[in-house]
Amino acid sequence: MKFSFKILLCMMTVIALALGFSGYYFVNYVFETSLEREIGQSLDESSILGFALETAALNVPTNYSVLPDNTIDEIAANLEASGQQKRLLRISDERKQTLYVSDGFFADRQLLEETDAKVKSYHIARSGKKHYVHAVTAVNARNRVLYLETMRDVSEVFTERAMGFSLYRRVTLLMLLIGLLLMYVLTSFLTKPIRILTRATKQMAAGDYAYRANQVSQDELGELTMDFNAMAEALERNVGALEHEVEAKEEFMGAFAHELKTPLTAIIGYADTLRSHSMDEEKRMMAANYIYTEGKRLEVMSLRLLDIIVAGNRKVNLQRVAAQVIFDYLKEMFAGRTDVKMQFSFEAGIVCAEPNLIKTVLVNLIDNACKASEQGGGIEVEGRAKEDGYLFSVRDHGIGIPREEQQKIIKAFYMVDKSRARSQNGAGLGLALCAEILKIHDSELIIESEENQGSCFRFLLKDRASHGEPGLDRENGVFGS
Ligand code: ADP
């Protein structure tokens, strides 16, 4: 059953119960008040008739000291006819023997038997659809105790109660019908956010992660819609990232297979020639040399790949290193290169990083700069202390990188000019390794390049002094805060 119908059903039950109880209480209250009034009037009438009986008894001639039974008939007949309508009464003597009874008086004798000379009593007597107040009162008439019983018709009060109930039933039904319509409109308005959310979940289940639920209220359901949208956003982001990752992996696998294929084809081809043809020493040497070089290329590639995988999966062991230590290492490393003019300039400062990894990044960047430069081209390696960390940059004035390629070159196996890269022993993995290393240092490569003008690769290593790193280790040139 739909939630809105459940609410509707609950509300209608509550309204029906409320109307039913209040109606019953109201009609009954009116009935009881009217009945009490009628009973009061019956008892008053019974008292008045009692007085009239006493007075009439006193007016009987005085030669009787006791009221004779035959005069009682006369008095009773007068009392019976004294009202606007014929009264119903019964007069009994001291022993509760009936002396007079009106036609149509039907009340039984139980009340009379229970009543003594000092009290008045009454009850409601019923005959078919008619209801009467049956009252008994004792009268002192000329040295005799007589019992006067009266019956007053109160059927109207009962009829009014039945009419009240029937009217109230109809009003309740009408109210329920109107209530049903109003509640239907209200519940569908109140449950609108739920319907919107249901539609949104279905859309998302069908793969439409960009679908968002429209927030139509500011209440708890509105909040739920907002939370749902936030969740959808996170989900869309995560799915996007996963798709991107899968795409990147597929791309990587494709490139990897392709990069494997070239050296393997050469190796297999030359190995086959060697084993199936007899050839002179020079040709044999050439084939063996090809196999060796391509095998070496494969080895370098597999080691680089391993480095990337390891870098991506490890936790960085941050240390506070003097920038000078890194620059001293680089100077020593590239001291023998005479094909380019390399300049190192740096500001004293502390680098917060894992030194060996950062050295790997810088060596790769400098290596790339050398490959991109002409004979004798200038390369500037700089280090600048910044407010929030230490900034490294490697600038060359070589071939540069076309704008549309600049974001692609950090992908594994991507080479702008494949034949040039291969001839320089490149496999398109150096920058991918740099990117992985910088990622675990919470940093990234910023590439600025102009075709035929040169390139500049920069990265900032944030200062983590506040995190409390290890102390000074002067022997290794490693400093602490
Ligand atoms: P590799 O150098 O082994 O080919 P990298 O990942 O280091 O692989 O570089 C990817 C590609 O980016 C290179 O093949 C080259 O085309 C381009 N590249 C990298 N650095 C530079 C640079 N300083 N100037 C011009 N091109 C560059």
Side-chain angles (χ1 to χ4, degrees):
M1 192 195 265
K2 275 188 175 181
F3 182 61
S4 56
F5 285 142
K6 280 186 190 168
I7 298 182
L8 194 66
L9 202 72
C10 292
M11 298 291 239
M12 293 320 292
T13 313
V14 171
I15 292 176
L17 284 175
L19 284 175
F21 279 118
S22 63
Y24 176 80
Y25 175 79
F26 177 70
V27 173
N28 231 31
Y29 175 77
V30 172
F31 164 74
E32 271 167 20
T33 317
S34 307
L35 189 63
E36 246 171 63
R37 197 180 57 237
E38 288 294 334
I39 290 169
Q41 282 179 2
S42 296
L43 292 177
D44 287 351
E45 190 182 54
S46 170
S47 299
I48 290 166
L49 287 175
F51 281 128
L53 181 59
E54 275 175 23
T55 315
L58 286 174
N59 289 337
V60 172
T62 48
N63 46 346
Y64 299 108
S65 60
V66 176
L67 190 65
D69 287 352
N70 57 349
T71 54
I72 290 175
D73 276 2
E74 219 174 292
I75 296 169
N78 283 339
L79 290 179
E80 195 180 73
S82 65
Q84 282 176 346
Q85 283 173 353
K86 189 183 166 231
R87 288 197 169 97
L88 293 176
L89 46 90
R90 180 163 67 189
I91 296 173
S92 308
D93 62 12
E94 303 73 353
R95 283 170 288 120
K96 299 189 177 169
Q97 296 297 314
T98 304
L99 298 175
Y100 180 83
V101 62
S102 308
D103 284 346
F105 190 100
F106 64 84
D108 58 24
R109 299 180 59 80
Q110 195 185 342
L111 190 67
L112 178 64
E113 298 299 340
E114 287 166 3
T115 309
D116 65 28
K118 290 191 186 79
V119 293
K120 274 184 193 172
S121 50
Y122 74 91
H123 82 148
I124 305 292
R126 190 176 168 183
S127 159
K129 285 184 178 175
K130 292 249 171 203
H131 291 80
Y132 296 86
V133 178
H134 173 205
V136 184
T137 182
V139 178
N140 200 342
R142 272 278 187 92
N143 298 328
R144 284 190 73 173
V145 174
L146 299 178
Y147 292 94
L148 173 66
E149 290 173 81
T150 53
M151 277 177 65
R152 182 182 164 86
D153 188 355
V154 289
S155 306
E156 211 171 304
V157 178
F158 284 84
T159 316
E160 270 171 14
R161 180 172 73 162
M163 273 166 60
F165 278 140
S166 131
L167 181 73
Y168 212 84
R169 257 195 308 276
R170 270 178 280 156
V171 170
T172 303
L173 274 177
L174 187 73
M175 296 291 277
L176 281 177
L177 211 71
I178 296 171
L180 189 78
L181 285 174
L182 279 175
M183 292 308 296
Y184 179 75
V185 176
L186 276 174
T187 48
S188 33
F189 172 71
L190 287 174
T191 53
K192 193 175 175 193
I194 299 179
R195 286 199 301 281
I196 292 176
L197 274 175
T198 311
R199 201 178 315 135
T201 45
K202 280 185 184 157
Q203 287 288 114
M204 289 201 75
D208 184 0
Y209 298 109
Y211 193 87
R212 296 288 177 271
N214 195 13
Q215 190 185 350
V216 287
S217 63
Q218 301 300 322
D219 53 13
E220 288 89 333
L221 287 176
E223 249 175 61
L224 181 67
T225 312
M226 259 167 62
D227 291 346
F228 177 86
N229 284 344
M231 184 198 74
E233 213 139 284
L235 197 68
E236 190 187 9
R237 238 190 343 263
N238 290 346
V239 169
L242 277 177
E243 279 172 358
H244 187 72
E245 211 170 291
V246 169
E247 234 169 68
K249 277 203 173 129
E250 276 172 6
E251 227 173 84
F252 175 87
M253 293 306 287
F256 180 52
H258 187 260
E259 288 306 309
L260 269 184
K261 212 177 127 201
T262 322
L264 279 177
T265 314
I267 289 170
I268 293 166
Y270 280 109
D272 192 38
T273 316
L274 274 179
R275 67 170 191 166
S276 51
H277 300 284
S278 56
M279 53 182 73
D280 58 35
E281 187 61 14
E282 193 188 337
K283 279 188 179 155
R284 201 180 59 79
M285 268 307 286
M286 196 187 77
N289 206 35
Y290 265 114
I291 293 172
Y292 177 78
T293 346
E294 291 304 305
K296 267 288 177 199
R297 233 158 62 76
L298 275 181
E299 187 191 26
V300 170
M301 196 169 83
S302 61
L303 288 176
R304 273 283 169 91
L305 271 177
L306 207 64
D307 284 345
I308 294 174
I309 292 164
V310 171
N313 290 329
R314 62 177 288 192
K315 266 200 165 177
V316 65
N317 176 22
L318 288 180
Q319 292 170 30
R320 297 174 62 73
V321 191
Q324 184 164 5
V325 176
I326 295 173
F327 276 91
D328 284 350
Y329 169 83
L330 294 175
K331 277 181 198 167
E332 201 183 318
M333 174 103 186
F334 291 96
R337 286 206 79 140
T338 50
D339 53 333
V340 284
K341 280 188 209 143
M342 212 173 290
Q343 278 179 7
F344 294 93
S345 85
F346 66 95
E347 287 173 4
I350 297 295
V351 177
C352 189
E354 189 169 329
N356 285 338
L357 293 181
I358 290 310
K359 283 174 192 169
T360 306
V361 173
L362 287 163
V363 168
N364 267 294
L365 294 180
I366 297 171
D367 214 31
N368 280 349
C370 294
K371 287 180 194 168
S373 300
E374 298 272 307
Q375 184 76 15
I379 292 171
E380 294 97 44
V381 184
E382 290 180 359
R384 297 279 168 259
K386 297 280 171 193
E387 238 175 59
D388 50 345
Y390 201 88
L391 181 76
F392 287 94
S393 65
V394 177
R395 184 185 296 277
D396 67 64
H397 305 277
I399 54 171
I401 308 156
R403 193 167 294 273
E404 64 281 4
E405 309 274 0
Q406 285 174 16
Q407 285 314 309
K408 299 181 193 162
I409 56 170
I410 54 166
K411 285 186 186 167
F413 302 112
Y414 196 87
M415 295 162 264
V416 178
D417 183 344
K418 278 193 195 306
S419 55
R420 181 187 164 108
R422 285 208 181 100
S423 70
Q424 292 171 326
N425 261 338
L429 291 171
L431 289 180
L433 175 63
C434 294
E436 281 302 328
I437 292 174
L438 290 177
K439 199 161 129 189
I440 57 173
H441 280 83
D442 195 20
S443 178
E444 59 178 348
L445 261 187
I446 299 161
I447 306 167
E448 276 170 19
S449 186
E450 225 19 85
E451 238 180 313
N452 300 320
Q453 299 285 319
S455 316
C456 179
F457 288 75
R458 283 183 288 142
F459 61 91
L460 178 86
L461 292 175
K462 286 180 199 148
D463 188 10
R464 320 256 177 110
S466 54
H467 295 278
E469 298 299 335
L472 179 72
D473 181 352
R474 286 196 187 278
E475 221 180 340
N476 297 318
V478 180
F479 293 76
S481 52

